[in-house]
Amino acid sequence: GLEVVVEMVTDNVVKRGPEEKASTSFLALVASVVGNLRCFDYRCSPKRGFLPSDSFPESKMEELEMILKTTNAPRLRELNVEYVNGTGDIFREGRLKGTSNNHWLNKLHFYSTWNLPALRCMSTTNIIPISFTGSSSIETLSINMDYCAGGSSREPERSFDATAFLGFLSSCEALKSLTVRLDSARMLGEMKPIDRVDMSNVEEFVLTIVSCCTRTTKNFMDALQFTRL
């Protein structure tokens, strides 16, 4: 099988040039061989020094979403999605750009329309995955969430959505190994009890907590029910 790495970085130019055309051609090539893909690595980085509303390559993200929409990759076993922290927050950016929340989320979760029956391993950075057709076959999952911007400030950019996190975990029925890293995670407002998620097949769980709110961590952990650990 093939392994493809897609890396997107914001440019400091507005006009379409050779690099933009090369990006389109590359994605078209990926679409043509998608049936043979074994691993897909996606890394999206902001341009340092850009304003938050301009920091992520929205046009490139939309292009990837459209070209690879409803992808059918029967051999894909590994999917890695990474959003590198910059001057702003990827979820707040959609509002700053004036785009609808759903429109922006479709770009962030481009993989959600893919058909991945053989998917076994998934890792994400700075984004909580949403349920999709490949969720039920994932055996190894790694989620790394840093809730601070890329600068020196350690103030969280957004609150920790434990409900969304647990909702995705509940869709991973075959999960055996789970690795979670939370940096500066905190839930805002009144903390209400969260429905417990049965992690009956998980045999390995690695949790790393950095500068997180104690109540947030406890609330999250209380919702995870392990029977094999």
Side-chain angles (χ1 to χ4, degrees):
L2 301 174
E3 179 174 352
V4 170
V5 178
V6 176
E7 183 164 2
M8 294 185 172
V9 182
T10 296
D11 299 317
N12 55 3
V13 294
V14 176
K15 296 181 180 179
R16 289 179 62 89
E19 184 180 340
E20 290 286 343
K21 294 179 181 178
S23 174
T24 302
S25 299
F26 175 69
L27 291 176
L29 175 62
V30 172
S32 69
V33 299
V34 71
N36 294 317
L37 291 183
R38 179 191 64 81
C39 176
F40 188 92
D41 287 345
Y42 175 78
R43 188 172 189 264
C44 187
S45 306
K47 184 80 171 182
R48 297 298 178 185
F50 269 48
L51 294 174
S53 59
D54 295 324
S55 60
F56 278 89
E58 181 180 6
S59 62
K60 292 182 180 180
M61 294 164 67
E62 185 168 14
E63 194 170 49
L64 178 137
E65 178 208 351
M66 295 305 298
I67 292 178
L68 298 181
K69 197 169 187 177
T70 64
T71 284
N72 182 34
R75 299 183 181 180
L76 192 77
R77 296 182 61 85
E78 183 176 346
L79 175 63
N80 305 307
V81 180
E82 178 181 2
Y83 288 96
V84 180
N85 269 344
T87 56
D89 175 70
I90 55 177
F91 290 88
R92 187 182 62 189
E93 277 196 33
R95 297 191 296 273
L96 294 175
K97 292 175 185 294
T99 59
S100 70
N101 191 48
N102 287 339
H103 186 59
W104 185 241
L105 289 178
N106 286 340
K107 294 185 182 69
L108 299 177
H109 297 286
F110 61 89
Y111 58 86
S112 63
T113 63
W114 295 11
N115 180 34
L116 307 175
L119 188 65
R120 295 294 181 269
C121 180
M122 183 175 186
S123 72
T124 65
T125 299
N126 294 327
I127 188 169
I128 296 174
I130 60 176
S131 178
F132 64 109
T133 58
S135 303
S136 61
S137 62
I138 295 174
E139 296 180 352
T140 302
L141 175 66
S142 174
I143 299 179
N144 180 4
M145 297 295 297
D146 183 350
Y147 286 89
C148 292
S152 59
S153 172
R154 300 308 299 167
E155 286 300 317
E157 284 286 307
R158 65 183 185 273
S159 61
F160 172 47
D161 191 345
T163 301
F165 201 123
L166 295 166
F168 178 72
L169 290 181
S170 67
S171 72
C172 300
E173 301 171 359
L175 192 62
K176 296 180 179 179
S177 177
L178 174 62
T179 300
V180 177
R181 185 183 189 277
L182 299 176
D183 189 335
S184 305
R186 62 187 65 180
M187 300 166 68
L188 301 181
E190 183 181 355
M191 293 188 184
K192 299 179 181 179
I194 306 174
D195 292 338
R196 302 193 74 180
V197 176
D198 182 15
M199 311 294 292
S200 57
N201 292 321
V202 173
E203 300 172 349
E204 179 183 31
F205 177 48
V206 178
L207 176 65
T208 302
I209 300 293
V210 180
S211 302
C212 292
C213 168
T214 303
R215 290 194 306 148
T216 295
T217 305
K218 183 179 185 304
N219 215 30
F220 175 64
M221 288 299 300
D222 286 347
L224 297 175
Q225 184 173 348
F226 299 98
T227 56
R228 295 195 176 188
L229 297 179

